[in-house]
Amino acid sequence: MLPGPLAVAEAFVNDIDIVLIGASLTIQEALFGYLSAIVIGITVAAIMSQSKILERSFYPYAILLQTVPVVAVAPLIVLWFGFEERSVIIVSLIISLFPIINNTLLGLKSTSINLVELFDMHKASKMVSFFKLRFPAAIPNIIAGMRISAGLSVIGAIVGEFIIGSGSEDGGLGVQIIYAQAELETPLVMALILSATTLGFLFFMTVSTIGHLLMRKWHESAMI
């Protein structure tokens, strides 16, 4: 039922060009989706943190991104953006966006009330208070959200490739898995799955390392 480790290793070596081409395309899709999620997520969370009215207005839509199945909206994405790489990036963006919004908003709202009152005493503007107090204090939460979304962006890219495909065999790891499965090449399927898993792990470790380097000199979580 399952190929042995040696058969998977042989498939990986014999079809290394397929694995590398698929991995390179998936990396591009996941990276674009992930970077877009970071920019949009932090921006939306910053806007919502400015008032309760804005938070109550926009937060339900952010929750919808987490609860609506991607399979259900995939036909709309294809209708708007076509069977192209853009559609896969959109799926990756949708799946990885909510953790960044949620964690960033939590961090911005968790600033010490004593420090907020200190800034108010010195009549600091909202802009100064945001960039010099709230945003720096929220960095650990932002990094935590980015760590969660790092792996989800790769999952989103693979799911997008499963749903949308590329119209040919020249696609990312998800597309290669579909074609390998159709041809009953189980060792190659396992090799592609392990490659996708490794890719998600590398995304996670890269973000974790960057976060540790940013916080190691001033935040307790990185000093321990």
Side-chain angles (χ1 to χ4, degrees):
M1 295 297 293
L2 291 175
L6 182 60
V8 175
E10 289 178 351
F12 183 85
V13 173
N14 294 334
D15 297 305
I16 188 65
D17 54 338
I18 295 177
V19 176
L20 291 179
I21 291 174
S24 64
L25 291 172
T26 301
I27 287 173
Q28 294 176 26
E29 294 160 350
L31 187 59
F32 278 115
Y34 180 57
L35 294 177
S36 300
I38 292 174
V39 174
I40 296 173
I42 293 177
T43 302
V44 171
I47 293 172
M48 288 193 295
S49 69
Q50 298 305 305
S51 73
K52 285 289 185 181
I53 295 177
L54 289 174
E55 181 182 350
R56 290 171 183 171
S57 299
F58 290 107
Y59 196 70
Y61 296 102
I63 295 176
L64 284 176
L65 293 174
Q66 187 76 1
T67 56
V68 174
V70 176
V71 177
V73 299
L76 290 176
I77 295 175
V78 172
L79 180 65
W80 293 333
F81 301 99
F83 289 93
E84 299 179 6
E85 187 177 326
R86 287 183 301 176
S87 298
V88 179
I89 294 173
I90 296 295
V91 173
S92 177
L93 165 64
I94 292 173
I95 290 180
S96 58
L97 182 58
F98 181 76
I100 296 177
I101 293 177
N102 189 64
N103 284 48
T104 302
L105 182 61
L106 177 63
L108 293 172
K109 293 174 59 180
S110 301
T111 309
S112 172
I113 188 64
N114 294 327
L115 293 176
V116 173
E117 291 176 350
L118 178 63
F119 270 64
D120 291 340
M121 285 175 56
H122 290 277
K123 299 180 180 179
S125 65
K126 280 192 174 183
M127 193 69 68
V128 171
S129 178
F130 178 83
F131 283 105
K132 291 192 175 182
L133 176 60
R134 293 182 180 275
F135 188 79
I139 287 178
N141 294 79
I142 296 173
I143 296 296
M146 289 171 60
R147 277 202 296 260
I148 297 171
S149 294
L152 291 178
S153 65
V154 178
I155 295 174
I158 299 294
V159 170
E161 290 167 351
F162 278 150
I163 298 172
I164 297 166
S166 66
S168 68
E169 295 184 16
D170 298 326
L173 291 175
V175 175
Q176 302 298 342
I177 290 173
I178 292 174
Y179 277 93
Q181 183 181 15
E183 296 175 2
L184 300 179
E185 297 183 8
T186 309
L188 179 57
V189 171
M190 293 297 297
L192 292 167
I193 291 173
L194 291 175
S195 299
T197 303
T198 302
L199 188 59
F201 178 76
L202 290 176
F203 265 56
F204 176 84
M205 289 304 300
T206 300
V207 175
S208 297
T209 302
I210 294 173
H212 176 75
L213 294 176
L214 288 175
M215 298 188 297
R216 63 179 178 176
K217 293 185 178 180
W218 62 276
H219 197 265
E220 294 85 351
S221 63
M223 291 180 180
I224 301 174

